[in-house]
Amino acid sequence: QVQLVESGGGFVQPGGSLRLSCTASYTISRFSIYAMGWYRQAPGKQRELVAVITSGGNITSGAFVKGRFTISRDNAKDTVYLQMNSLKPEDTAVYYCHAKQAFTFNDYWGQGTQVTVSS
């Protein structure tokens, strides 16, 4: 079994910052993660990629990130972080942690954490 536990969401004013964290815990033997990252879904919209990072450090991110968000990962702790700066109201969404298992490429999702940007 694999669980992704997210933290760090909340309410912030435009221009503010938040840091999201996600840690994977598992009972599967010899489990390893190829990629971890974040997606988001705003009301009435499809889920979209925010940023993902592989175990080798390769990063893919959505165009809207534009230097405002930084993803990082601690492989030893199976934890991924998302530092979000210069937040805008349009960043308001539920942010979901995602992990892709190495070799099998099974996908795992967290329960989501709400980020609200409003004045």
Side-chain angles (χ1 to χ4, degrees):
Q1 186 176 2
V2 179
Q3 285 189 316
L4 302 179
V5 179
E6 302 138 331
S7 62
F11 181 93
V12 65
Q13 293 185 336
S17 298
L18 283 174
R19 187 185 192 221
L20 305 183
S21 299
C22 173
T23 298
S25 62
Y26 44 88
T27 57
I28 302 172
S29 61
R30 304 180 68 182
F31 179 86
S32 62
I33 299 173
Y34 168 65
M36 291 188 78
W38 297 91
Y39 289 73
R40 71 183 187 182
Q41 188 167 20
K45 295 188 177 181
Q46 290 188 330
R47 190 171 297 190
E48 63 179 348
L49 169 70
V50 179
V52 295
I53 182 170
T54 68
S55 55
N58 293 316
I59 294 172
T60 302
S61 58
F64 61 86
V65 170
K66 292 179 180 178
R68 297 185 299 128
F69 298 176
T70 302
I71 189 170
S72 60
R73 177 174 171 178
D74 186 332
N75 291 332
K77 296 181 179 179
D78 288 322
T79 298
V80 65
Y81 306 96
L82 184 68
Q83 177 66 44
M84 303 187 293
N85 299 326
S86 303
L87 283 162
K88 305 175 182 179
E90 51 263 43
D91 294 317
T92 295
V94 178
Y95 284 69
Y96 294 92
C97 180
H98 172 262
K100 185 174 287 292
Q101 185 178 0
F103 307 112
T104 66
F105 297 110
N106 290 332
D107 292 303
Y108 299 94
W109 294 92
Q111 79 283 359
T113 184
Q114 177 70 46
V115 171
T116 302
V117 185
S118 176
S119 55

